[in-house]
Amino acid sequence: MRITLEFVGEKNLVLPIHYNYVVQGFLYDLMGDSDFAAFLHDEGFQYEKRKFKLFTFSRIEGEFKILTDSKGQKKISIKPPFKFTVASPLDEFIFDISKNALKKEYCHFNGQKFILNSLNIDNPPVFKNKARIKFISPVVMYTTLKDGDIKYTYYYSPWDEKFSPLLLNNLLKKYELVYKIKAKDPYFKLYPLSEKEDRRYSKMIKYKNVYVKGWMGIYDVESSPELLELAYYTGLGAKNSQGFGCFEIIG
């Protein structure tokens, strides 16, 4: 399921320029104190050495401006109404946050109060073998490499020939976790619309104390429909539950 939550308030929402962890924390808070919430927050679904939370969310949409405080720190000021999308193949996750959001008189973002104006369940698109998608939070794909005894993270670009195979491998793990079977005849390929790497779409996002490199933009996709559907609800690529890989189908 996918939902879009819209909020209103008397004042602008002011957040750190890198606010992914604020939205993620807001969603975990909405889940309450259930055993499922504790499991998802503390453990997640394990596939070999990797753990997956199986949800994603978009950037906050709304009229905004960038501010600089007295210490020279940049912040983002977002004028209500503002909204964002949350997606997951786990109905329990979506039901929990929806039910609890609707119960609250006020929702809090970084200590600031806002009212939930609307909560809409998004109508699913028709999933086909070909689609044009637009990322509404950056897609991330990486691998951990070693240089002697030093480990480092290498982030791939959508123009890298390894990008699509890594996306496919990531999706196959999620597929097994969600459906408990292996995907039949899996295929997934993402095509940038320009031949050369367009660095305008490169985004460096700080999540807590780690910088993560992702990519926005519009891309063409060829995929088995069931994998495209799964990607639509889990997010594409890595670090989805930190606010990466959420997209919409535009054609």
Side-chain angles (χ1 to χ4, degrees), residues 127-237:
F127 299 100
K128 301 179 180 179
N129 295 97
K130 294 183 179 181
R132 178 161 287 186
I133 68 172
K134 178 183 179 181
F135 283 103
I136 51 178
S137 61
V139 60
V140 172
M141 203 68 252
Y142 70 95
T143 191
T144 302
L145 302 174
K146 289 187 70 175
D147 184 2
D149 294 331
I150 301 174
K151 289 184 178 181
Y152 66 96
T153 302
Y154 180 83
Y155 289 96
Y156 292 93
S157 153
W159 285 262
D160 193 303
E161 63 181 9
K162 294 183 179 180
F163 197 79
S164 286
L166 287 168
L167 288 179
L168 174 59
N169 185 54
N170 178 275
L171 274 173
L172 293 178
K173 293 175 182 178
K174 294 170 184 171
Y175 191 94
E176 285 192 54
L177 289 172
V178 172
Y179 298 112
K180 313 303 180 187
I181 58 172
K182 292 184 180 292
K184 294 181 179 179
D185 303 318
Y187 181 72
F188 192 92
K189 180 72 175 177
L190 182 140
Y191 299 94
L193 299 189
S194 60
E195 291 185 8
K196 294 183 179 180
E197 184 175 283
D198 193 336
R199 301 198 63 80
R200 291 178 300 170
Y201 301 120
S202 174
K203 304 296 178 184
M204 192 67 75
I205 309 296
K206 187 179 182 182
Y207 177 80
K208 295 184 177 177
N209 293 319
V210 177
Y211 280 96
V212 177
K213 186 177 182 179
W215 295 81
M216 299 292 284
I218 296 173
Y219 302 84
D220 284 333
V221 166
E222 291 181 2
S223 171
S224 46
E226 63 269 19
L227 283 186
L228 181 60
E229 180 177 7
L230 181 70
Y232 184 74
Y233 292 109
T234 62
L236 263 177

